[in-house]
């Protein structure tokens, strides 16, 4: 016998028949059935006499399912033997009848078949839909039947194990949805990452296990597995006991170990707990500052031999101790000191404490901003300067470019080098390097160098980067050529490969010559030295040629390369070159290497493409996570720079100052509540990419659970018993204070008897209300309850257990307790309390409520309402600020006061900082609104508006608009019915709320303001005014803010409306709102009042301009002036009239500008009617004419004039340089000279001490003042004040001690004083005074020394035999002594030569009978005690009959010197002969005493 299997969903649910079908399905089935019946009836009637359908014997359902064709057969046929009469005559008729019947039957069958096919298709669709709906119901029923709370099928069992062994705890749990299992040790959650390797948690198909490795006695504890899902939770507990082996117990030796071996090693601490009590956070610094990162921790156990290894990392790279970083650890404190911050130090810093039990670490980011640039607008310094491929005379440097936002782009970099041990920095490149890579050549082998880089833009040069570590110029291949042979007792022999090679003389060819680096600015060649290379030092020469050419050219002609690297500059960008290398030593040169082949001078890498889409998500109150798509084309990417900007400020700021390589970055240092946008750019050695697209704006606020969009809500609270029957209880509670980021979707209630330890679910499906009736309880039992809220993030933390409630029916006549006491608008002295009415009303309806209050520190309750209030809210005032209060509410009916509500939680009476209130206003469209702003909202926060503390649901009178942190309640039709109290509360905050009482007076004010806005006058951008055109036309105009196409205007002058005409052209540009009238002729008849009236719908406005009296005269005069100016400009004229200008060299220029000139135009300059020819002709191109005056002074005062003249007319410009104009010119010259004045300097003269200052120009009319000790000095015999062309001075004649002190020179330009100071005291005065005394004595000596004051000629020519007399006048005080010389030797006086001195001043030398021997150079030496001088005269004697010779003064024919032999020693200087007694001095000498 077959058994029918009942589907699982029919075991507990009713059978789903055809009534379950949807309305559409039932309609299709019904329609099909009715059509089938009608078809059957029609077929039956048609074949009543002949045939019937066999299908009529089948049920309608069988007919729908059948897919075959049914042929109809007649039910009755007349036998043949009964047809006997007229057989032949009826044959033709019967044949025709049969033929007709057959055709008709075939047609009917085809129609029936098509009808059945159509009906079958429609029915199949209906059945398919019905099946899908049935399957959905089955799935729902299956889930409902399967859904259940977590339940342990196999529970944990306890274990006892030995120390250092492992233990595994297992359990099996089932439930739907699949439960989550968490493990606890003594009610402390077990975190695998806290002790790596200690715990291992696994889960396979419902079997969960916890494995504890290397158990210690500290692992002895109670372990709990907690399983939970949305329907509830369950737990199982087991104990683990770890025993320590003590010697007498030998549990494993018989199986595993020899008896005589100890089982366990000494105790090893494998778990060291590290707890941080102070940690460094995200830090911000500036270049040049000192930054200290420190952490303090508690280490358990804190044993000296188990101290952790402390390692610091920057971006996962270990930080080594250097001059840039120092580390210290001691007394549970780790410190990292960065003494001089650079942008190289920016990055993620990690402190790792490594112990035997694992690793504990803490990380935070350090941001380093650019220091102030040395030049405004200069870029920041480059960073991460690194040396690569160092060799004997070559190294290549790379660096990272600075981030540039507001500064102009970087155009290149300067590279500096410094030899270690010196402070002499040398710039290595004359032109800035274009990319972040530079080959450095010209180093000296064996020396160590440091390098730095500076960025350059059009504003200037940046500060230098951090100095690199020292790099020594050595060939790394030299070390590879050393071979070490190890001997006994740690002895070794080092042999160079050169010693093993043969005695190679001329080197071989270099090999593997190739381009190691290529760019558009240089190419770096690299090659391998020849093998064998020999013992002699190698040098290399490089040659180049254009690709395809055979003409080789030496590159390094002067300096040979010493290393197998060489950078070649000055190549043509885009061209192809070939290179080859020669090796050279002292024996000769090698053959050229194989050519490199064509090498193109171009950048090997290109600027990266911009990053992709930039997205930002919230992180903390001051940070945002920025993510972006990597650049699609980014060869040799250095990293990315991220910029941020406050929305609507366009003030972009750098987020990172050092490129980051990943595509996710946490931007710190943002302002909470502000809206930011972000952008990213990629960086490589060539430059920066274009900016990415800006991200969507984001408000900086803390994300929940570290950035997860939704989190579980907080717990409900305030569980209250609202009604009670014999087997049920009605509970109420308050909503969670925080929703967790999404709306509350429901609540789960659990209950238990106070004698039961296990909680039971009160509801399987979540309930949405905060009131729930728990049924199927035991009468007379006491129950506890707890409630959990749920949202998209899951089930939140359950509430605390309620107090025990007894299950017994309420029959008292008074009402039950109120519930859901909430508070809002907490201020310093007041608050508002709200509540909900009781569920149990007693024997009569509730008539009112009373409110009781009690201080939190007291138990004395008092009622704050004198009478019961009917509203379910109350504002309580006169509270004491800073105190906490508890409240309760009682409902009242005819029978009296009912049960009091549960006491509320304590409420602190203190306003929140920054609390805002509701404000009212009218927007630009005339809408009246109430507005409230909250800065502490979250994504889940909502603004809830209420009237009389009841939620606003009638949207026909209100509109609520919320944008960001502001919400508006807009009134559609404000009237008297809208008076009352309006309030707003912000959910998911700490009770932020406010209220506003709309009174009649305020309502009327708002309505009046709204009416004024909705029916405004047309606003005007510009009131009616006038302007005069070039031809003297006058334009009257005004401009409205905005008008429609239907606007019109009227122009009224003196109460008469003007219309558009030739004399008055009136236009109205409605797109710009400009109304204007242009009057061609403005005359004295046009005086009066001008008015423009404009109307646009109902809005009107007008503006008037009064031109009467002086106002009209001014307008008329301006019109006349412009008319004349227009006529003047028809010919040559001055576009700019003459004005003066003082150049930086204090030269005065008179400048004017001409226009509309021709070749025949005459230019003429005049000063006081006299014509002046300028140094520069007029510049016809620019029209500028200049008259240059150098060394301007009072003599240049006068009237300067320039004229223009040709056939079209003439023009003139005049500038009277006198009075105020002259004074202004002098003041400008004073300004330039004052700014150029040098500091005061001391210059001593024989008359005294002179203080002087150099400047560009000085003239007497400049206001130059001198001060001594703040007292003004006037020019006198004692203090002489004066100046020269480029100097101003003051001389202190015969200085004394009273003249010491501070001296100030002041040049005043009418506005500013330019002062220079000098302190003439102390050593400065002493030195100056000494010099003055010296010069004074020298001047006196110069004045009184012996000197020749006239009488002697320069040359004397005389015939032989004559008498020559040389006479001169001498002077000196005292009377000088006179000595005559011949050829620089004293002259011996005799009868032939005689000398006389008469009256102490007339000296004569007489030569009697001169001969040719008397020719020569004669001199007279005049001298006294103050000095003297020698005057020479040349005497030439010629014989009778000879021509008089031409003798130049002081020129004599010197005898030829004798030829010196090679062995002759150099002659010694001859000692001058002693002068005769009558001659005591030789040449002129000053300052010597006798």
């Amino acid at each position: 016998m077959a058994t029918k299997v009942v589907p699982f969903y029919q075991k507990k649910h009713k059978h789903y028949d055809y009534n379950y079908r949807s309305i559409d399905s039932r309609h299709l089935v019904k329609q099909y059935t009715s059509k089938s019946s009608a078809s059957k009836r029609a077929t039956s009637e048609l074949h009543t006499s002949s045939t019937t359908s066999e299908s009529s014997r089948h049920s309608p359902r069988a007919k729908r399912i059948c897919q075959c064709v049914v042929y109809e057969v007649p039910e009755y046929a007349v036998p043949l033997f009964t047809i006997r009469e007229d057989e032949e005559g009826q044959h033709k008729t019967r044949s025709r009848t049969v033929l007709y019947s057959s055709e008709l039957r075939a047609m009917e069958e085809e129609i029936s078949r098509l009808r059945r096919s159509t009906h079958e298709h429609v029915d199949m669709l209906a059945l398919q839909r019905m099946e899908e709906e049935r399957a959905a119901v089955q799935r729902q029923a299956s889930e409902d039947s399967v859904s259940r709370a977590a339940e342990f099928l196999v529970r944990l069992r306890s274990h006892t194990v030995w120390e250092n062994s492992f233990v595994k705890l297992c359990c099996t749990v089932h439930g739907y949805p699949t439960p989550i299992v968490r493990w606890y040790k003594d009610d402390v959650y077990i975190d695998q990452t806290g002790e790596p390797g200690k715990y291992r948690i696994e889960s396979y198909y419902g079997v969960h296990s916890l494995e504890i490795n290397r158990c210690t006695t500290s692992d002895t504890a109670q372990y709990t597995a907690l399983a939970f899902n949305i329907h509830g939770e369950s737990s199982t507990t087991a104990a683990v006991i770890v025993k320590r082996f003590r010697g007498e117990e030998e549990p494993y030796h018989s199986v595993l170990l020899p008896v005589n071996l100890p089982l366990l090693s000494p105790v090893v601490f494998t778990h060291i707990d590290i707890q941080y009590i102070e940690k460094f956070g995200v830090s911000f610094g500036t270049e040049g500052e000192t930054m200290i990162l420190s952490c303090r921790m508690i280490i358990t156990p804190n044993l000296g031999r188990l101290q952790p290894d402390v390692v610091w990392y920057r971006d996962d790279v270990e930080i080594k101790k250097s001059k840039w970083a120092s580390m210290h650890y001691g007394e549970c404190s780790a410190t990292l000191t960065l003494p001089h911050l650079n942008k190289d130090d920016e990055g993620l810093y990690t402190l790792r404490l490594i112990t035997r039990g694992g690793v504990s670490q803490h990380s935070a980011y350090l941001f380093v901003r650019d220091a102030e640039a040395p030049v405004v607008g200069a870029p920041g310094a480059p960073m991460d300067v690194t040396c690569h491929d160092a060799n004997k005379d070559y190294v290549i440097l790379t660096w990272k470019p600075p981030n540039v936002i507001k500064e102009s782009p970087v155009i290149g970099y300067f590279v500096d080098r410094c030899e270690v041990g010196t402070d002499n920095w040398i710039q290595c490149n004359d032109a800035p390097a274009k990319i972040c890579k530079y080959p450095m050549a010209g180093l000296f082998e064996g020396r160590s160098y440091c390098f730095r880089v500076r960025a350059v833009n059009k504003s200037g040069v940046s500060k230098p980067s951090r100095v690199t570590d020292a790099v020594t110029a050595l060939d790394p291949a030299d070390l590879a050529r050393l071979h070490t042979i190890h001997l006994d007792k740690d002895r070794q022999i080092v042999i160079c490969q050169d010693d093993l090679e043969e005695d190679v003389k001329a080197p071989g060819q270099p090999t593997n010559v190739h381009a190691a680096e290529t760019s558009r600015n240089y190419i770096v060649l690299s090659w391998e030295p020849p093998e064998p290379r020999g013992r002699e030092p190698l040098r290399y020469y490089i040659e180049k040629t254009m690709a395809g050419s055979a003409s080789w050219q030496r590159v390094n002609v002067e300096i040979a390369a010493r290393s197998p690297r060489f950078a070649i500059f000055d190549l043509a960008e885009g061209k192809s070159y070939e290179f080859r290398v020669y090796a050279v030593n002292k024996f000769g040169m090698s053959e050229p290497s194989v050519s490199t082949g064509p090498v193109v001078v171009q950048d090997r890498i290109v600027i990266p493409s911009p990053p992709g889409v930039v997205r930002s998500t919230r992180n903390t109150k001051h940070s945002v996570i920025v993510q972006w798509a990597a650049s699609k084309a980014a060869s040799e990417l250095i990293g990315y720079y991220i910029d941020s900007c406050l929305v609507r400020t366009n003030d972009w700021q750098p987020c990172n100052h050092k490129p980051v390589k990943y595509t996710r970055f946490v931007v710190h240092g943002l302002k909470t509540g502000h809206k930011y946008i972000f952008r990213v750019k990629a960086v490589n050695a060539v430059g920066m990419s274009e900016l990415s697209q800006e991200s969507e704006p984001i408000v900086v606020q803390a994300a929940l659970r570290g950035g997860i969009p939704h989190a579980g809500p907080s717990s409900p609270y305030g569980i209250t018993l609202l009604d009670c029957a014999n087997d049920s209880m009605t509970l109420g509670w308050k909503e969670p204070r925080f929703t967790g980021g999404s709306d509350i979707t429901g609540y789960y209630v659990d209950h238990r008897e106070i004698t039961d330890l296990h909680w039971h679910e009160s509801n399987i499906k979540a309930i949405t209300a905060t009131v729930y009736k728990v049924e199927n309880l035991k009468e007379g039992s006491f129950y506890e309850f707890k409630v959990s809220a749920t949202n998209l993030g899951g089930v939140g933390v359950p509430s605390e257990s309620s107090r025990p409630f007894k299950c017994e029916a309420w029959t008292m006549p008074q009402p039950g307790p109120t519930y859901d006491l909430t508070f809002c608008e907490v201020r310093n002295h007041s608050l508002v309390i709200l509540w909900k009415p009781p569920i149990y009303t007693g024997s009569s309806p509730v008539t009112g409520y009373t409110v009781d209050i009690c201080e939190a520190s007291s138990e004395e309750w008092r009622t704050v309402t004198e009478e019961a209030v009917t509203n379910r809210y109350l504002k309580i005032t006169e509270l004491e600020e800073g105190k906490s209060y508890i409240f309760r509410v009682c409902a009242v009916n005819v029978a009296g006061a009912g049960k009091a509500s549960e006491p509320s939680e304590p409420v602190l009476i203190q306003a929140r900082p920054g609390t805002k209130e509701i404000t009212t206003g009218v927007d630009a469209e005339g809408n009246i609104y109430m507005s409230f702003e909250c800065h502490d909202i979250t994504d889940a926060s909502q603004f809830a508006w209420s009237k009389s503390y009841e939620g606003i649901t009638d949207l026909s009178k209100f509109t609520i608009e919320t944008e960001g942190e502001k919400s508006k309640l807009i009134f559609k039709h404000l009237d008297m019915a809208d008076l009352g109290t309006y309030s707003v509360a912000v959910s998911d905050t700490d009770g932020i709320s406010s209220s506003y009482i709309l009174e009649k007076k305020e309502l009327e004010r708002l309505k009046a303001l709204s009416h004024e806005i909705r029916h405004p006058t047309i606003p005007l951008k510009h009131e009616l005014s006038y302007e005069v055109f070039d031809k003297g036309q006058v334009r009257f105009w005004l401009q409205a803010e905005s008008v429609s196409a239907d606007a019109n205007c009227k122009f009224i002058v003196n109460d008469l409306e003007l219309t558009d005409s030739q004399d008055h052209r009136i236009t109205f540009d409605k797109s710009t709102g400009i109304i204007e009238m242009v009057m061609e002729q403005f005359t004295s008849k046009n005086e009066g009042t001008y008015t423009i009236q404009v109307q646009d719908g109902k809005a009107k406005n007008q503006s008037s301009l009064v031109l009467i009296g002086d106002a009209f005269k001014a307008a008329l005069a301006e019109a006349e002036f412009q008319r004349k100016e227009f006529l003047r400009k028809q010919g040559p004229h001055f576009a700019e009239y003459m004005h003066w200008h003082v150049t930086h060299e204090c030269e005065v220029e008179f400048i004017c500008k001409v226009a509309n000139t021709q070749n025949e135009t005459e230019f003429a300059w005049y000063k006081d009617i006299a014509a002046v020819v300028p140094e520069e002709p007029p510049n016809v191109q620019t029209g500028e004419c200049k008259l240059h005056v150098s060394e301007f002074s009072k003599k240049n005062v006068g009237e300067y004039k320039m004229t223009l003249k040709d056939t079209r007319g003439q023009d003139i410009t005049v500038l009277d340089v006198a009075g105020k104009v002259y004074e202004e010119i002098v003041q400008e010259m004073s300004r330039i000279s004052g700014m150029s004045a040098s500091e005061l300097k001391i210059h001593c003269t024989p008359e005294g001490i002179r203080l002087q200052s150099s400047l560009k120009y000085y003239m007497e009319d400049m206001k130059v003042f001198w001060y001594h000790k703040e007292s003004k000095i006037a020019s006198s015999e004692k203090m002489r004040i004066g100046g020269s062309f480029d100097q101003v001075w003051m001389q202190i004649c015969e200085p004394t001690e009273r003249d010491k002190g501070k001296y100030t020179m002041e040049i005043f330009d009418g506005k500013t004083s330019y002062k220079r100071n000098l302190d003439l005291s102390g050593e400065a005065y002493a030195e100056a005074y000494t010099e003055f005394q010296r010069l004074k004595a020298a001047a006196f000596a110069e004045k009184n020394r012996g000197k020749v004051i006239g009488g002697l000629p320069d040359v004397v020519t005389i015939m032989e035999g004559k008498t020559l007399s040389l006479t001169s006048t001498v002077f000196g005080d005292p009377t000088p002594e006179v000595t005559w010389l011949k050829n620089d030797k004293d002259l011996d006086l005799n009868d032939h030569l005689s000398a006389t001195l008469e009256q102490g001043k007339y000296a004569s030398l007489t030569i009697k009978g001169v001969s040719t021997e008397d020719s020569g150079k004669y001199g007279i030496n005049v001298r006294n005690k103050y000095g003297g001088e020698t005057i020479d005269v040349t005497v030439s004697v010629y014989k009778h009959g000879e021509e008089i010779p031409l003798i130049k003064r002081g020129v004599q024919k010197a005898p030829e010197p004798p030829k010196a032999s090679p062995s002759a020693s150099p002659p010694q200087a001859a000692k001058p002969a002693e002068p005769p007694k009558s001659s005591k001095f030789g040449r002129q000498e000053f300052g010597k005493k006798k």
Side-chain angles (χ1 to χ4, degrees), residues 3 38 230 644 697 819 887 1056 1081 1087 1097 1221 1230 1242:
T3 303
I230 61 174
S644 66
Y819 68 101
F887 300 87
L1056 295 177
Q1081 296 293 330
E1087 184 175 5
V1221 175
S1230 300
I1242 299 175

Side-chain angles (χ1 to χ4, degrees), residues 1381-1384 1415-1419 1432-1435 1450 1452 1483:
L1381 309 173
K1382 181 181 180 182
N1383 295 331
D1384 295 332
S1415 297
K1417 183 177 70 173
Y1418 289 82
D1432 295 331
V1433 57
T1434 301
V1435 176
Q1452 291 183 352
R1483 288 291 175 183

Side-chain angles (χ1 to χ4, degrees), residues 720 734 803 816-823 831-836 838 848-856 858-865 867-869 871-874 876 879 884-892 897-907:
T720 306
K734 295 181 181 180
R803 64 182 179 86
T818 58
Y819 68 101
D820 196 9
L821 272 64
T822 57
F823 303 90
L831 58 75
V832 175
I833 181 174
L834 300 91
W835 61 88
K836 292 183 179 179
Y849 302 91
T850 60
V851 180
D852 299 337
I853 186 174
C854 173
E855 293 187 11
S858 173
E859 296 182 357
E860 181 180 351
W861 291 89
R862 60 183 177 87
T863 303
V864 297
T865 54
E867 298 180 357
V869 296
N871 297 324
R872 294 197 302 274
Y873 63 89
L874 180 66
I876 303 176
L879 301 178
S884 297
Y885 294 88
I886 302 174
F887 300 87
R888 66 185 183 188
V889 180
C890 298
V892 180
K899 286 187 176 182
S901 65
E902 292 290 331
S904 68
E905 67 275 10
V907 181

Side-chain angles (χ1 to χ4, degrees), residues 834-1015:
L834 300 91
W835 61 88
K836 292 183 179 179
I839 301 297
Y840 179 80
T841 58
S843 59
S844 60
V846 174
T847 58
Y849 302 91
T850 60
V851 180
D852 299 337
I853 186 174
C854 173
E855 293 187 11
S857 58
S858 173
E859 296 182 357
E860 181 180 351
W861 291 89
R862 60 183 177 87
T863 303
V864 297
T865 54
E866 297 179 358
E867 298 180 357
V869 296
T870 56
N871 297 324
R872 294 197 302 274
Y873 63 89
L874 180 66
K875 184 171 184 178
I876 303 176
T877 58
E878 299 180 0
L879 301 178
E880 189 173 347
E881 181 180 0
K883 281 193 175 183
S884 297
Y885 294 88
I886 302 174
F887 300 87
R888 66 185 183 188
V889 180
C890 298
V892 180
N893 63 4
V894 175
K899 286 187 176 182
S901 65
E902 292 290 331
S904 68
E905 67 275 10
V907 181
L908 177 63
I909 306 302
Q910 188 172 23
R912 288 174 51 92
T915 300
K916 295 183 177 295
E917 302 293 346
I918 294 177
T919 59
T920 59
V922 182
D923 61 18
E925 298 178 357
N927 297 318
I928 301 173
Y929 65 86
M930 291 184 179
S931 175
F932 184 72
E933 187 175 3
C934 175
H935 296 303
D936 296 333
I937 63 172
T938 63
D939 287 342
S941 297
Q942 295 182 352
F943 292 84
W945 287 90
S946 304
K947 182 181 180 183
S948 300
Y949 296 97
E950 295 289 340
I952 294 177
T953 58
D954 185 8
L955 298 181
S956 63
K957 299 194 65 176
F958 304 96
T959 299
I960 299 176
E961 295 181 357
T962 300
E963 181 178 357
E965 300 176 347
K966 182 179 291 187
S967 180
K968 284 185 178 181
L969 177 67
I970 301 175
F971 296 86
K972 294 182 178 179
H973 305 288
L974 186 64
D975 53 26
M976 291 298 175
D978 294 318
L979 298 177
T981 301
Y982 292 84
S983 61
V984 62
V986 185
S987 64
D988 213 48
T989 61
D990 192 13
I992 296 178
S993 56
S994 180
S995 65
Y996 185 86
I997 300 176
L998 182 60
E999 298 177 342
K1000 181 179 179 181
K1001 185 177 180 181
E1002 177 67 9
L1003 183 142
E1004 292 175 350
R1005 185 188 71 83
L1006 293 173
K1007 291 184 68 175
L1009 183 58
S1010 175
H1011 181 271
E1012 182 179 349
I1013 293 176
R1014 289 179 175 176
H1015 304 87

